[in-house]
Amino acid sequence: MRNVPAYICGVLLAAHFLRVGSLLLTFVCLVLPFTLLSRRLWSLYATRGLLGLGVLIWLETMVSRMMGRLEYGQPFLRLALILGGVAAFNGLALALLSTRSVRERFK
């Protein structure tokens, strides 16, 4: 059950990369979280890395889009709340995979 947020984050990141046209990163983001089903330690570390990078990607996207909206005098609060929430959800998924009980289930 603790893996489900990681799967959702993988799909969200894949959609982000699909939008910018990167099919390789889209594929990696879709597949990597599901390697957790193998219960291998490398898959846990790789998925944690993906989620950590996901937090940074969403924050960078939020800031760059907010700057563009500010430049044109458009509202940006809703954008900031949505992308900030997505970044926080990635952080939550990372925290769930960083608990001792999850670590003990991987070889």
Side-chain angles (χ1 to χ4, degrees):
M1 204 62 186
R2 291 177 187 232
N3 297 351
V4 172
Y7 302 147
I8 295 169
C9 289
V11 170
L12 290 173
L13 275 171
H16 175 72
F17 286 121
L18 184 62
R19 185 178 183 283
V20 297
S22 178
L23 294 179
L24 178 63
L25 289 174
T26 299
F27 178 75
V28 169
C29 291
L30 280 175
V31 172
L32 189 60
F34 288 97
T35 62
L36 291 172
L37 295 173
S38 71
R39 297 200 187 262
R40 301 282 183 189
L41 192 56
W42 68 265
S43 68
L44 179 62
Y45 290 143
T47 303
R48 281 186 196 167
L50 176 70
L51 292 171
L53 286 174
V55 170
L56 297 176
I57 289 166
W58 290 119
L59 290 175
E60 188 275 329
T61 301
M62 179 183 72
V63 169
S64 67
R65 299 255 171 104
M66 281 177 53
M67 297 303 286
R69 286 185 173 237
L70 282 170
E71 187 176 317
Y72 290 106
Q74 297 176 334
F76 62 89
L77 182 61
R78 183 173 42 185
L79 177 135
L81 291 173
I82 291 170
L83 290 178
V86 173
F89 186 69
N90 267 264
L92 172 68
L94 177 60
L96 288 174
L97 289 182
S98 299
T99 61
R100 180 176 293 168
S101 61
V102 170
R103 171 70 171 84
E104 290 171 353
R105 289 186 287 163
F106 286 80
K107 303 176 195 174

